[in-house]
mmCIF file with all atom_site columns, all heavy atoms in Angstrom:
data_model
loop_
_atom_site.group_PDB
_atom_site.id
_atom_site.type_symbol
_atom_site.label_atom_id
_atom_site.label_alt_id
_atom_site.label_comp_id
_atom_site.label_asym_id
_atom_site.label_entity_id
_atom_site.label_seq_id
_atom_site.pdbx_PDB_ins_code
_atom_site.Cartn_x
_atom_site.Cartn_y
_atom_site.Cartn_z
_atom_site.occupancy
_atom_site.B_iso_or_equiv
_atom_site.pdbx_formal_charge
_atom_site.auth_seq_id
_atom_site.auth_comp_id
_atom_site.auth_asym_id
_atom_site.auth_atom_id
_atom_site.pdbx_PDB_model_num
ATOM 1   N N   . ILE G 1 61  ? 64.294 29.528 13.410 1.00 94.00 ? 61  ILE G N   1
ATOM 2   C CA  . ILE G 1 61  ? 64.268 28.071 13.235 1.00 94.00 ? 61  ILE G CA  1
ATOM 3   C C   . ILE G 1 61  ? 65.609 27.458 13.644 1.00 94.00 ? 61  ILE G C   1
ATOM 4   O O   . ILE G 1 61  ? 65.644 26.395 14.285 1.00 94.00 ? 61  ILE G O   1
ATOM 5   C CB  . ILE G 1 61  ? 63.876 27.711 11.789 1.00 94.00 ? 61  ILE G CB  1
ATOM 6   C CG1 . ILE G 1 61  ? 62.400 28.046 11.564 1.00 94.00 ? 61  ILE G CG1 1
ATOM 7   C CG2 . ILE G 1 61  ? 64.156 26.246 11.490 1.00 94.00 ? 61  ILE G CG2 1
ATOM 8   C CD1 . ILE G 1 61  ? 61.936 27.941 10.127 1.00 94.00 ? 61  ILE G CD1 1
ATOM 9   N N   . TYR G 1 62  ? 66.714 28.117 13.335 1.00 95.00 ? 62  TYR G N   1
ATOM 10  C CA  . TYR G 1 62  ? 68.029 27.624 13.747 1.00 95.00 ? 62  TYR G CA  1
ATOM 11  C C   . TYR G 1 62  ? 68.111 27.541 15.274 1.00 95.00 ? 62  TYR G C   1
ATOM 12  O O   . TYR G 1 62  ? 68.620 26.563 15.828 1.00 95.00 ? 62  TYR G O   1
ATOM 13  C CB  . TYR G 1 62  ? 69.141 28.529 13.214 1.00 95.00 ? 62  TYR G CB  1
ATOM 14  C CG  . TYR G 1 62  ? 70.507 28.116 13.667 1.00 95.00 ? 62  TYR G CG  1
ATOM 15  C CD1 . TYR G 1 62  ? 71.183 27.079 13.026 1.00 95.00 ? 62  TYR G CD1 1
ATOM 16  C CD2 . TYR G 1 62  ? 71.124 28.729 14.756 1.00 95.00 ? 62  TYR G CD2 1
ATOM 17  C CE1 . TYR G 1 62  ? 72.431 26.671 13.450 1.00 95.00 ? 62  TYR G CE1 1
ATOM 18  C CE2 . TYR G 1 62  ? 72.370 28.329 15.189 1.00 95.00 ? 62  TYR G CE2 1
ATOM 19  C CZ  . TYR G 1 62  ? 73.021 27.310 14.536 1.00 95.00 ? 62  TYR G CZ  1
ATOM 20  O OH  . TYR G 1 62  ? 74.265 26.907 14.970 1.00 95.00 ? 62  TYR G OH  1
ATOM 21  N N   . SER G 1 63  ? 67.588 28.550 15.971 1.00 92.00 ? 63  SER G N   1
ATOM 22  C CA  . SER G 1 63  ? 67.636 28.528 17.434 1.00 92.00 ? 63  SER G CA  1
ATOM 23  C C   . SER G 1 63  ? 66.751 27.401 17.980 1.00 92.00 ? 63  SER G C   1
ATOM 24  O O   . SER G 1 63  ? 67.125 26.735 18.942 1.00 92.00 ? 63  SER G O   1
ATOM 25  C CB  . SER G 1 63  ? 67.235 29.877 18.029 1.00 92.00 ? 63  SER G CB  1
ATOM 26  O OG  . SER G 1 63  ? 65.908 30.200 17.710 1.00 92.00 ? 63  SER G OG  1
ATOM 27  N N   . TRP G 1 64  ? 65.590 27.162 17.361 1.00 92.00 ? 64  TRP G N   1
ATOM 28  C CA  . TRP G 1 64  ? 64.736 26.051 17.803 1.00 92.00 ? 64  TRP G CA  1
ATOM 29  C C   . TRP G 1 64  ? 65.479 24.724 17.667 1.00 92.00 ? 64  TRP G C   1
ATOM 30  O O   . TRP G 1 64  ? 65.420 23.891 18.559 1.00 92.00 ? 64  TRP G O   1
ATOM 31  C CB  . TRP G 1 64  ? 63.447 25.994 16.998 1.00 92.00 ? 64  TRP G CB  1
ATOM 32  C CG  . TRP G 1 64  ? 62.501 27.121 17.252 1.00 92.00 ? 64  TRP G CG  1
ATOM 33  C CD1 . TRP G 1 64  ? 62.511 27.999 18.297 1.00 92.00 ? 64  TRP G CD1 1
ATOM 34  C CD2 . TRP G 1 64  ? 61.399 27.509 16.438 1.00 92.00 ? 64  TRP G CD2 1
ATOM 35  N NE1 . TRP G 1 64  ? 61.497 28.908 18.176 1.00 92.00 ? 64  TRP G NE1 1
ATOM 36  C CE2 . TRP G 1 64  ? 60.794 28.618 17.051 1.00 92.00 ? 64  TRP G CE2 1
ATOM 37  C CE3 . TRP G 1 64  ? 60.867 27.026 15.252 1.00 92.00 ? 64  TRP G CE3 1
ATOM 38  C CZ2 . TRP G 1 64  ? 59.664 29.259 16.521 1.00 92.00 ? 64  TRP G CZ2 1
ATOM 39  C CZ3 . TRP G 1 64  ? 59.752 27.650 14.727 1.00 92.00 ? 64  TRP G CZ3 1
ATOM 40  C CH2 . TRP G 1 64  ? 59.155 28.748 15.357 1.00 92.00 ? 64  TRP G CH2 1
ATOM 41  N N   . LYS G 1 65  ? 66.153 24.533 16.541 1.00 92.00 ? 65  LYS G N   1
ATOM 42  C CA  . LYS G 1 65  ? 66.894 23.287 16.325 1.00 92.00 ? 65  LYS G CA  1
ATOM 43  C C   . LYS G 1 65  ? 67.992 23.131 17.369 1.00 92.00 ? 65  LYS G C   1
ATOM 44  O O   . LYS G 1 65  ? 68.222 22.039 17.883 1.00 92.00 ? 65  LYS G O   1
ATOM 45  C CB  . LYS G 1 65  ? 67.490 23.260 14.921 1.00 92.00 ? 65  LYS G CB  1
ATOM 46  C CG  . LYS G 1 65  ? 66.452 23.077 13.839 1.00 92.00 ? 65  LYS G CG  1
ATOM 47  C CD  . LYS G 1 65  ? 67.093 23.109 12.465 1.00 92.00 ? 65  LYS G CD  1
ATOM 48  C CE  . LYS G 1 65  ? 66.045 22.953 11.365 1.00 92.00 ? 65  LYS G CE  1
ATOM 49  N NZ  . LYS G 1 65  ? 66.658 22.996 10.018 1.00 92.00 ? 65  LYS G NZ  1
ATOM 50  N N   . SER G 1 66  ? 68.675 24.227 17.701 1.00 92.00 ? 66  SER G N   1
ATOM 51  C CA  . SER G 1 66  ? 69.753 24.154 18.690 1.00 92.00 ? 66  SER G CA  1
ATOM 52  C C   . SER G 1 66  ? 69.217 23.878 20.089 1.00 92.00 ? 66  SER G C   1
ATOM 53  O O   . SER G 1 66  ? 69.935 23.347 20.933 1.00 92.00 ? 66  SER G O   1
ATOM 54  C CB  . SER G 1 66  ? 70.585 25.435 18.676 1.00 92.00 ? 66  SER G CB  1
ATOM 55  O OG  . SER G 1 66  ? 69.845 26.525 19.183 1.00 92.00 ? 66  SER G OG  1
ATOM 56  N N   . TRP G 1 67  ? 67.947 24.206 20.349 1.00 88.00 ? 67  TRP G N   1
ATOM 57  C CA  . TRP G 1 67  ? 67.327 23.947 21.645 1.00 88.00 ? 67  TRP G CA  1
ATOM 58  C C   . TRP G 1 67  ? 66.764 22.526 21.738 1.00 88.00 ? 67  TRP G C   1
ATOM 59  O O   . TRP G 1 67  ? 66.260 22.123 22.772 1.00 88.00 ? 67  TRP G O   1
ATOM 60  C CB  . TRP G 1 67  ? 66.210 24.937 21.938 1.00 88.00 ? 67  TRP G CB  1
ATOM 61  C CG  . TRP G 1 67  ? 66.659 26.356 22.069 1.00 88.00 ? 67  TRP G CG  1
ATOM 62  C CD1 . TRP G 1 67  ? 67.903 26.817 22.412 1.00 88.00 ? 67  TRP G CD1 1
ATOM 63  C CD2 . TRP G 1 67  ? 65.868 27.513 21.849 1.00 88.00 ? 67  TRP G CD2 1
ATOM 64  N NE1 . TRP G 1 67  ? 67.924 28.188 22.410 1.00 88.00 ? 67  TRP G NE1 1
ATOM 65  C CE2 . TRP G 1 67  ? 66.682 28.646 22.071 1.00 88.00 ? 67  TRP G CE2 1
ATOM 66  C CE3 . TRP G 1 67  ? 64.553 27.719 21.486 1.00 88.00 ? 67  TRP G CE3 1
ATOM 67  C CZ2 . TRP G 1 67  ? 66.226 29.947 21.944 1.00 88.00 ? 67  TRP G CZ2 1
ATOM 68  C CZ3 . TRP G 1 67  ? 64.095 29.020 21.364 1.00 88.00 ? 67  TRP G CZ3 1
ATOM 69  C CH2 . TRP G 1 67  ? 64.924 30.116 21.593 1.00 88.00 ? 67  TRP G CH2 1
ATOM 70  N N   . GLY G 1 68  ? 66.788 21.786 20.628 1.00 86.00 ? 68  GLY G N   1
ATOM 71  C CA  . GLY G 1 68  ? 66.284 20.417 20.634 1.00 86.00 ? 68  GLY G CA  1
ATOM 72  C C   . GLY G 1 68  ? 64.807 20.290 20.328 1.00 86.00 ? 68  GLY G C   1
ATOM 73  O O   . GLY G 1 68  ? 64.210 19.241 20.564 1.00 86.00 ? 68  GLY G O   1
ATOM 74  N N   . ILE G 1 69  ? 64.188 21.344 19.818 1.00 88.00 ? 69  ILE G N   1
ATOM 75  C CA  . ILE G 1 69  ? 62.775 21.294 19.457 1.00 88.00 ? 69  ILE G CA  1
ATOM 76  C C   . ILE G 1 69  ? 62.641 20.549 18.130 1.00 88.00 ? 69  ILE G C   1
ATOM 77  O O   . ILE G 1 69  ? 63.310 20.872 17.162 1.00 88.00 ? 69  ILE G O   1
ATOM 78  C CB  . ILE G 1 69  ? 62.184 22.714 19.352 1.00 88.00 ? 69  ILE G CB  1
ATOM 79  C CG1 . ILE G 1 69  ? 62.269 23.408 20.719 1.00 88.00 ? 69  ILE G CG1 1
ATOM 80  C CG2 . ILE G 1 69  ? 60.757 22.677 18.838 1.00 88.00 ? 69  ILE G CG2 1
ATOM 81  C CD1 . ILE G 1 69  ? 61.907 24.865 20.689 1.00 88.00 ? 69  ILE G CD1 1
ATOM 82  N N   . ILE G 1 70  ? 61.766 19.558 18.114 1.00 84.00 ? 70  ILE G N   1
ATOM 83  C CA  . ILE G 1 70  ? 61.561 18.757 16.911 1.00 84.00 ? 70  ILE G CA  1
ATOM 84  C C   . ILE G 1 70  ? 60.110 18.943 16.467 1.00 84.00 ? 70  ILE G C   1
ATOM 85  O O   . ILE G 1 70  ? 59.183 18.629 17.217 1.00 84.00 ? 70  ILE G O   1
ATOM 86  C CB  . ILE G 1 70  ? 61.852 17.269 17.181 1.00 84.00 ? 70  ILE G CB  1
ATOM 87  C CG1 . ILE G 1 70  ? 63.293 17.112 17.653 1.00 84.00 ? 70  ILE G CG1 1
ATOM 88  C CG2 . ILE G 1 70  ? 61.568 16.427 15.957 1.00 84.00 ? 70  ILE G CG2 1
ATOM 89  C CD1 . ILE G 1 70  ? 63.623 15.756 18.201 1.00 84.00 ? 70  ILE G CD1 1
ATOM 90  N N   . CYS G 1 71  ? 59.931 19.464 15.243 1.00 87.00 ? 71  CYS G N   1
ATOM 91  C CA  . CYS G 1 71  ? 58.587 19.726 14.736 1.00 87.00 ? 71  CYS G CA  1
ATOM 92  C C   . CYS G 1 71  ? 58.662 20.099 13.263 1.00 87.00 ? 71  CYS G C   1
ATOM 93  O O   . CYS G 1 71  ? 59.734 20.067 12.666 1.00 87.00 ? 71  CYS G O   1
ATOM 94  C CB  . CYS G 1 71  ? 57.944 20.869 15.528 1.00 87.00 ? 71  CYS G CB  1
ATOM 95  S SG  . CYS G 1 71  ? 58.843 22.421 15.352 1.00 87.00 ? 71  CYS G SG  1
ATOM 96  N N   . TYR G 1 73  ? 59.058 22.905 11.317 1.00 93.00 ? 73  TYR G N   1
ATOM 97  C CA  . TYR G 1 73  ? 59.538 24.240 11.656 1.00 93.00 ? 73  TYR G CA  1
ATOM 98  C C   . TYR G 1 73  ? 58.830 25.352 10.883 1.00 93.00 ? 73  TYR G C   1
ATOM 99  O O   . TYR G 1 73  ? 58.474 26.376 11.469 1.00 93.00 ? 73  TYR G O   1
ATOM 100 C CB  . TYR G 1 73  ? 61.052 24.331 11.441 1.00 93.00 ? 73  TYR G CB  1
ATOM 101 C CG  . TYR G 1 73  ? 61.827 23.379 12.303 1.00 93.00 ? 73  TYR G CG  1
ATOM 102 C CD1 . TYR G 1 73  ? 62.444 22.259 11.746 1.00 93.00 ? 73  TYR G CD1 1
ATOM 103 C CD2 . TYR G 1 73  ? 61.936 23.575 13.664 1.00 93.00 ? 73  TYR G CD2 1
ATOM 104 C CE1 . TYR G 1 73  ? 63.152 21.373 12.534 1.00 93.00 ? 73  TYR G CE1 1
ATOM 105 C CE2 . TYR G 1 73  ? 62.643 22.698 14.465 1.00 93.00 ? 73  TYR G CE2 1
ATOM 106 C CZ  . TYR G 1 73  ? 63.249 21.601 13.894 1.00 93.00 ? 73  TYR G CZ  1
ATOM 107 O OH  . TYR G 1 73  ? 63.942 20.719 14.685 1.00 93.00 ? 73  TYR G OH  1
ATOM 108 N N   . HIS G 1 103 ? 58.491 25.562 25.316 1.00 87.00 ? 103 HIS G N   1
ATOM 109 C CA  . HIS G 1 103 ? 58.765 24.154 25.031 1.00 87.00 ? 103 HIS G CA  1
ATOM 110 C C   . HIS G 1 103 ? 59.325 23.477 26.267 1.00 87.00 ? 103 HIS G C   1
ATOM 111 O O   . HIS G 1 103 ? 59.838 24.116 27.182 1.00 87.00 ? 103 HIS G O   1
ATOM 112 C CB  . HIS G 1 103 ? 59.770 24.031 23.876 1.00 87.00 ? 103 HIS G CB  1
ATOM 113 C CG  . HIS G 1 103 ? 61.129 24.541 24.216 1.00 87.00 ? 103 HIS G CG  1
ATOM 114 N ND1 . HIS G 1 103 ? 61.426 25.887 24.304 1.00 87.00 ? 103 HIS G ND1 1
ATOM 115 C CD2 . HIS G 1 103 ? 62.275 23.878 24.516 1.00 87.00 ? 103 HIS G CD2 1
ATOM 116 C CE1 . HIS G 1 103 ? 62.694 26.038 24.629 1.00 87.00 ? 103 HIS G CE1 1
ATOM 117 N NE2 . HIS G 1 103 ? 63.238 24.839 24.769 1.00 87.00 ? 103 HIS G NE2 1
ATOM 118 N N   . CYS G 1 104 ? 59.181 22.153 26.284 1.00 84.00 ? 104 CYS G N   1
ATOM 119 C CA  . CYS G 1 104 ? 59.709 21.348 27.381 1.00 84.00 ? 104 CYS G CA  1
ATOM 120 C C   . CYS G 1 104 ? 61.212 21.187 27.191 1.00 84.00 ? 104 CYS G C   1
ATOM 121 O O   . CYS G 1 104 ? 61.673 20.800 26.127 1.00 84.00 ? 104 CYS G O   1
ATOM 122 C CB  . CYS G 1 104 ? 59.020 19.981 27.393 1.00 84.00 ? 104 CYS G CB  1
ATOM 123 S SG  . CYS G 1 104 ? 59.688 18.878 28.656 1.00 84.00 ? 104 CYS G SG  1
ATOM 124 N N   . HIS G 1 105 ? 61.960 21.457 28.225 1.00 82.00 ? 105 HIS G N   1
ATOM 125 C CA  . HIS G 1 105 ? 63.412 21.353 28.140 1.00 82.00 ? 105 HIS G CA  1
ATOM 126 C C   . HIS G 1 105 ? 63.892 19.908 28.264 1.00 82.00 ? 105 HIS G C   1
ATOM 127 O O   . HIS G 1 105 ? 65.042 19.610 27.953 1.00 82.00 ? 105 HIS G O   1
ATOM 128 C CB  . HIS G 1 105 ? 64.076 22.231 29.206 1.00 82.00 ? 105 HIS G CB  1
ATOM 129 C CG  . HIS G 1 105 ? 63.904 23.690 28.939 1.00 82.00 ? 105 HIS G CG  1
ATOM 130 N ND1 . HIS G 1 105 ? 64.959 24.539 28.770 1.00 82.00 ? 105 HIS G ND1 1
ATOM 131 C CD2 . HIS G 1 105 ? 62.793 24.454 28.782 1.00 82.00 ? 105 HIS G CD2 1
ATOM 132 C CE1 . HIS G 1 105 ? 64.517 25.767 28.525 1.00 82.00 ? 105 HIS G CE1 1
ATOM 133 N NE2 . HIS G 1 105 ? 63.201 25.735 28.542 1.00 82.00 ? 105 HIS G NE2 1
ATOM 134 N N   . ASP G 1 106 ? 63.007 19.019 28.691 1.00 82.00 ? 106 ASP G N   1
ATOM 135 C CA  . ASP G 1 106 ? 63.376 17.615 28.818 1.00 82.00 ? 106 ASP G CA  1
ATOM 136 C C   . ASP G 1 106 ? 63.179 16.846 27.511 1.00 82.00 ? 106 ASP G C   1
ATOM 137 O O   . ASP G 1 106 ? 64.061 16.132 27.066 1.00 82.00 ? 106 ASP G O   1
ATOM 138 C CB  . ASP G 1 106 ? 62.566 16.943 29.934 1.00 82.00 ? 106 ASP G CB  1
ATOM 139 C CG  . ASP G 1 106 ? 62.905 17.517 31.301 1.00 82.00 ? 106 ASP G CG  1
ATOM 140 O OD1 . ASP G 1 106 ? 64.074 17.909 31.505 1.00 82.00 ? 106 ASP G OD1 1
ATOM 141 O OD2 . ASP G 1 106 ? 61.999 17.587 32.154 1.00 82.00 ? 106 ASP G OD2 1
ATOM 142 N N   . CYS G 1 107 ? 61.986 17.004 26.891 1.00 82.00 ? 107 CYS G N   1
ATOM 143 C CA  . CYS G 1 107 ? 61.699 16.211 25.688 1.00 82.00 ? 107 CYS G CA  1
ATOM 144 C C   . CYS G 1 107 ? 61.621 17.043 24.406 1.00 82.00 ? 107 CYS G C   1
ATOM 145 O O   . CYS G 1 107 ? 61.551 16.481 23.321 1.00 82.00 ? 107 CYS G O   1
ATOM 146 C CB  . CYS G 1 107 ? 60.403 15.429 25.869 1.00 82.00 ? 107 CYS G CB  1
ATOM 147 S SG  . CYS G 1 107 ? 58.919 16.452 25.933 1.00 82.00 ? 107 CYS G SG  1
ATOM 148 N N   . GLY G 1 108 ? 61.613 18.377 24.505 1.00 81.00 ? 108 GLY G N   1
ATOM 149 C CA  . GLY G 1 108 ? 61.584 19.237 23.325 1.00 81.00 ? 108 GLY G CA  1
ATOM 150 C C   . GLY G 1 108 ? 60.195 19.486 22.767 1.00 81.00 ? 108 GLY G C   1
ATOM 151 O O   . GLY G 1 108 ? 60.056 20.112 21.725 1.00 81.00 ? 108 GLY G O   1
ATOM 152 N N   . ALA G 1 109 ? 59.154 19.006 23.453 1.00 83.00 ? 109 ALA G N   1
ATOM 153 C CA  . ALA G 1 109 ? 57.783 19.183 22.960 1.00 83.00 ? 109 ALA G CA  1
ATOM 154 C C   . ALA G 1 109 ? 57.359 20.652 23.079 1.00 83.00 ? 109 ALA G C   1
ATOM 155 O O   . ALA G 1 109 ? 57.645 21.316 24.075 1.00 83.00 ? 109 ALA G O   1
ATOM 156 C CB  . ALA G 1 109 ? 56.817 18.314 23.754 1.00 83.00 ? 109 ALA G CB  1
ATOM 157 N N   . VAL G 1 110 ? 56.675 21.140 22.057 1.00 87.00 ? 110 VAL G N   1
ATOM 158 C CA  . VAL G 1 110 ? 56.168 22.514 22.052 1.00 87.00 ? 110 VAL G CA  1
ATOM 159 C C   . VAL G 1 110 ? 54.896 22.549 22.896 1.00 87.00 ? 110 VAL G C   1
ATOM 160 O O   . VAL G 1 110 ? 54.007 21.719 22.734 1.00 87.00 ? 110 VAL G O   1
ATOM 161 C CB  . VAL G 1 110 ? 55.883 22.989 20.612 1.00 87.00 ? 110 VAL G CB  1
ATOM 162 C CG1 . VAL G 1 110 ? 55.230 24.354 20.616 1.00 87.00 ? 110 VAL G CG1 1
ATOM 163 C CG2 . VAL G 1 110 ? 57.165 23.000 19.811 1.00 87.00 ? 110 VAL G CG2 1
#
Side-chain angles (χ1 to χ4, degrees):
I61 290 171
Y62 177 81
S63 63
W64 291 344
K65 289 178 181 179
S66 69
W67 296 336
I69 298 172
I70 301 169
C71 62
Y73 299 108
H103 67 285
C104 176
H105 291 239
D106 294 327
C107 68
V110 174

